[in-house]
């Protein structure tokens, strides 16, 4: 898909501070390629901004859920692949694809769980990010049977069903992969996307198009903004010590 240039909200500055890793006095080392496990030191910066949509966005389409009476029992179902409000685009996955910190360090997986749920016969959230070996908790909150089927390229295929009231399922991914499609074999309109990374530098744009990636060590980085319908955009950015940088992206529909 043709890439569109990113709109950068502020001038990208020359890096204020870049530093190569040295042996940690605490002896903390990573287990991948001899890299050091990163320890926060107060120099970290933040990248944030807004994701805009230019033009007339496609309108949600009505979903026929009549094959499952429980899915028709609540509100009407509509497609959720494109959500635009006041010109701002939700569910855009923004992440650091490459850069200094990723070359030098490994990053421990958080102990906190990431949640994915079947709710109202839709997946929620639509797009999520997590780290390798972090736990994904999958819940069925509906009064019907659901199915969660991950369709990865780098990780093992995984396909599990959950009846009403079932205990949440737990799953981990061993390899980085952006992004893994998820579907429900019971309800083919249910879709989600899971990004698995080796680091914590990612975010998903909210309903107002905002995103923020924090805790980023000073350095030079390549960022990608991904949307399931509108493809990818890329930007180069440098982050200095404790710097807060604004980086905006804008997408257009295929005909715009």
């Amino acid at each position: 898909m043709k890439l569109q240039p990113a709109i950068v909200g502020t001038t990208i500055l020359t890096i204020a501070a870049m530093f190569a890793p040295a042996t940690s006095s605490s002896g903390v080392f990573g287990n991948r390629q001899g890299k050091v496990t990163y320890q926060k030191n107060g120099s970290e910066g933040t990248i944030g901004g807004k994701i805009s949509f230019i033009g007339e966005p496609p309108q949600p389409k009505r979903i026929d859920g009549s094959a499952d009476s429980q899915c028709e029992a609540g509100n009407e179902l509509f497609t959720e692949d494109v959500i635009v409000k006041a010109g701002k685009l939700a569910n855009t996955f923004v992440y650091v694809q490459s850069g200094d910190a990723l070359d030098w360090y490994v990053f421990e997986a958080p102990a906190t769980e990431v949640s994915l749920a079947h709710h109202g016969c839709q997946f929620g959230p639509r797009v999520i990010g997590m780290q390798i070996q972090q736990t994904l908790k999958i819940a069925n909150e509906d009064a019907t049977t659901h199915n969660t089927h991950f369709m990865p390229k780098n990780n093992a295929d995984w396909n599990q069903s959950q009846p009403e009231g079932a205990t949440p399922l737990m799953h981990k991914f061993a390899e980085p992969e952006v992004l893994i499609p998820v579907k429900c074999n019971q309800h083919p309109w249910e879709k989600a996307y899971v990004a698995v990374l080796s680091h914590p530098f990612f975010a998903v744009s909210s309903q107002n198009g905002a995103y923020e990636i924090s805790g980023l060590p000073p350095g030079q980085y390549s960022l990608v903004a991904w949307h399931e319908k509108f493809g990818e955009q890329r930007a180069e950015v440098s982050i200095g010590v404790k710097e807060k940088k604004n980086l905006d992206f804008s997408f257009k529909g295929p005909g715009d």
Side-chain angles (χ1 to χ4, degrees), residues 47 92-97 110 114 128-132 134 178 195-205 211-214 216 223-224:
I47 300 173
T92 302
F93 187 73
V94 185
Y95 67 102
V96 173
Q97 185 179 57
V114 177
I128 59 176
M130 59 186 296
Q131 287 184 239
I132 52 175
Q134 189 174 9
V178 182
V196 184
L197 296 99
S198 61
H199 60 80
F201 308 123
F202 54 83
V204 180
S205 63
Y211 79 93
E212 182 177 280
I213 299 172
S214 60
L216 193 60
L223 270 71
V224 176

Side-chain angles (χ1 to χ4, degrees), residues 49-241:
K50 291 286 185 76
I51 313 297
S52 299
F53 186 85
I54 299 173
E56 188 68 25
Q59 295 303 304
K61 297 178 181 178
R62 175 79 162 86
I63 294 172
D64 180 6
S66 59
D68 189 328
S69 60
Q70 291 298 325
C71 294
E72 290 281 279
N75 296 326
E76 290 185 330
L77 293 169
F78 289 90
T79 54
E80 298 182 340
D81 52 345
V82 178
I83 298 177
V84 176
K85 294 184 177 181
K88 298 298 184 285
L89 182 63
N91 292 332
T92 302
F93 187 73
V94 185
Y95 67 102
V96 173
Q97 185 179 57
S98 61
D100 292 331
L102 277 59
D103 295 336
W104 299 335
Y105 302 109
V106 292
F107 300 86
E108 294 182 350
T112 54
E113 299 170 347
V114 177
S115 295
L116 178 66
H118 298 270
H119 181 80
C121 290
Q122 296 274 28
F123 275 118
R126 178 83 175 191
V127 179
I128 59 176
M130 59 186 296
Q131 287 184 239
I132 52 175
Q133 298 303 329
Q134 189 174 9
T135 300
L136 178 63
K137 179 181 178 181
I138 307 150
N140 179 6
E141 300 176 354
D142 291 331
T144 189
T145 297
H146 280 295
N147 169 267
T148 304
H149 186 183
F150 297 108
M151 297 175 290
K153 294 180 179 179
N154 301 333
N155 290 274
D157 188 271
W158 193 85
N159 187 359
Q160 298 285 334
S161 292
Q162 287 174 286
E164 175 187 359
T167 300
L169 299 170
M170 303 293 182
H171 188 61
K172 295 182 179 181
F173 296 95
E175 300 294 337
E177 188 165 352
V178 182
L179 286 99
I180 300 173
V182 190
K183 68 177 182 179
C184 174
N185 293 336
Q186 299 290 118
H187 309 101
W189 63 82
E190 280 193 65
K191 295 180 181 180
Y193 296 88
V194 178
V196 184
L197 296 99
S198 61
H199 60 80
F201 308 123
F202 54 83
V204 180
S205 63
S206 61
Q207 295 286 320
N208 68 354
Y211 79 93
E212 182 177 280
I213 299 172
S214 60
L216 193 60
Q220 182 76 30
Y221 298 98
S222 297
L223 270 71
V224 176
W226 174 96
H227 189 272
E228 64 178 282
K229 293 289 287 185
F230 306 122
E232 294 182 345
Q233 294 183 17
R234 300 172 186 270
E236 300 295 319
V237 62
S238 60
I239 290 293
V241 174

